[in-house]
Amino acid sequence: MSTSAKSSSKNPKLPKTEEKPRGLFSRLNTRFPWLKLVTVIYLGLIIILDLLDLTISKTDNLTDDFPTTPFSKHVKATERDLKNKKLVALTFDDGPSPETTPRLLNILTEKNTLATFFVLGYMAENNPDIIRRMNREAHEIASHTMYHQNLPTLSWDGIAHEINAANDVYRGILGRNPTLLRPPYGNINNNVRNIANLPLILWSVDTLDWKNRNPDTILEITMNQVHDGAIILMHDIHPTSVDAVPRLIDTLRENDYEFVTVSELVAARKVELAPGASYFNFEP
Ligand code: NI
């Protein structure tokens, strides 16, 4: 230290005798010369933390666009007594479509029913708002690949692209990966099993809604084939399939069926899903 520093440190001691007119801050400043620096560092830290917090809450807001708040009237399966109940999962493939899916979601809300949507990556990419709405309304959203190719006809890389590109879209919208995959046409080979690394969810009731385009036929096929633990296959891209849903829900309820998502069904039946394995239903 230089002598001037020493002398300046002595200096404050001189006027100490006449202390009266000095304010609190200057007294503090004299007694604790480091206090100013500490205060500046402290305030600086607060500002930095605040900025960090702002960026954190900005990303929070991003996820807030897709809140996972449960559907208002729906009681989650874990909170419902599903023992000795007949369970059924409604599943809708190939969407979301802006022409038909919002109307289906309205019906499901009105009927207080949850469904599982196996969405196509390119359809989801074009309609992210519908995906967010499904998520908000507590429906289950799963993958049906990117472009609905017949996977076993593709190379290893082709299959990987179909699955991974869809996962990327899904993650981009919902911030998480899908946990279930339905291969298009239900067609699977060993490459599909290995690449997917997800449980493959097929179906036990095929309404053939894409072919018959008839709500009465859809209802008839369903009521003839439905069973406890059934997975019902429909497509939300056809207006006639959406038309079939209100009566389908009412009739299944009249027959003591409870609607659950696929994951709720899996949980209710205490099944441990394995990646690459296929599931057609979850019977008791
Ligand atoms: Ni399909």
Side-chain angles (χ1 to χ4, degrees):
M1 277 280 151
S2 70
T3 46
S4 70
K6 271 186 179 172
S7 63
S8 71
S9 70
K10 275 181 181 174
N11 277 343
K13 283 183 180 172
L14 292 174
K16 218 180 174 184
T17 44
E18 27 123 17
E19 244 171 283
K20 324 137 205 175
R22 295 209 283 167
L24 173 68
F25 283 108
S26 46
R27 261 185 295 164
L28 278 175
N29 193 26
T30 315
R31 273 197 204 173
F32 312 109
W34 41 267
L35 194 65
K36 234 193 259 177
L37 184 67
V38 168
T39 312
V40 168
I41 290 171
Y42 179 69
L43 289 175
L45 270 175
I46 287 180
I47 291 167
I48 288 166
L49 286 173
D50 215 37
L51 284 173
L52 278 175
D53 195 45
L54 267 183
T55 51
I56 289 167
S57 56
K58 260 180 202 159
T59 47
D60 271 350
N61 285 345
L62 247 184
T63 51
D64 219 19
D65 282 349
F66 343 106
T68 49
T69 44
F71 180 36
S72 56
K73 284 183 281 175
H74 180 74
V75 183
K76 286 222 152 213
T78 46
E79 295 155 23
R80 275 189 279 175
D81 183 15
L82 297 176
K83 276 178 198 160
N84 310 317
K85 292 265 171 69
K86 291 196 285 181
L87 305 180
V88 68
L90 285 181
T91 68
F92 296 93
D93 289 13
D94 298 0
S97 155
E99 276 81 47
T100 47
T101 309
R103 183 160 70 90
L104 172 60
L105 290 172
N106 292 345
I107 292 168
L108 293 172
T109 299
E110 194 183 304
K111 298 284 183 190
N112 198 21
T113 299
L114 289 188
T116 303
F117 292 88
F118 289 92
V119 300
L120 289 174
Y122 83 94
M123 296 287 271
E125 196 165 40
N126 291 332
N127 304 287
D129 288 346
I130 304 179
I131 299 290
R132 286 183 204 117
R133 180 180 168 190
M134 289 170 176
N135 188 53
R136 244 187 344 258
E137 296 178 355
H139 297 294
E140 180 157 31
I141 309 161
S143 175
H144 196 37
T145 74
M146 191 65 187
Y147 295 109
H148 209 275
Q149 302 289 301
N150 187 6
L151 297 181
T153 67
L154 303 182
S155 66
W156 176 280
D157 287 347
I159 296 170
H161 180 262
E162 272 295 292
I163 293 170
N164 296 333
N167 290 354
D168 290 346
V169 170
Y170 193 105
R171 213 167 38 246
I173 301 171
L174 294 174
R176 57 177 195 263
N177 277 312
T179 56
L180 306 173
L181 174 71
R182 175 171 283 167
Y185 316 103
N187 287 345
I188 294 163
N189 64 5
N190 276 334
N191 284 351
V192 173
R193 284 181 220 285
N194 289 325
I195 295 167
N197 200 31
L198 286 176
L200 308 172
I201 304 296
L202 302 163
W203 54 86
S204 57
V205 176
D206 189 350
T207 62
L208 299 173
D209 61 330
W210 58 274
K211 197 159 79 178
N212 58 52
R213 308 283 179 111
N214 184 321
D216 291 334
T217 314
I218 293 168
L219 180 66
E220 195 188 320
I221 292 175
T222 303
M223 296 320 295
N224 281 339
Q225 297 182 17
V226 73
H227 58 97
D228 188 6
I231 298 174
I232 299 175
L233 170 63
M234 296 181 75
H235 299 81
D236 52 315
I237 51 169
H238 304 302
T240 42
S241 302
V242 177
D243 293 342
V245 171
R247 214 147 38 100
L248 197 63
I249 290 174
D250 291 345
T251 313
L252 284 165
R253 280 220 171 102
E254 280 160 23
N255 285 270
D256 302 321
Y257 280 97
E258 288 265 331
F259 293 95
V260 285
T261 65
V262 170
S263 288
E264 287 175 329
L265 181 55
V266 170
R269 295 289 144 87
K270 297 184 166 57
V271 175
E272 193 85 35
L273 293 179
S278 347
Y279 302 88
F280 296 85
N281 60 61
F282 295 94
E283 289 180 315

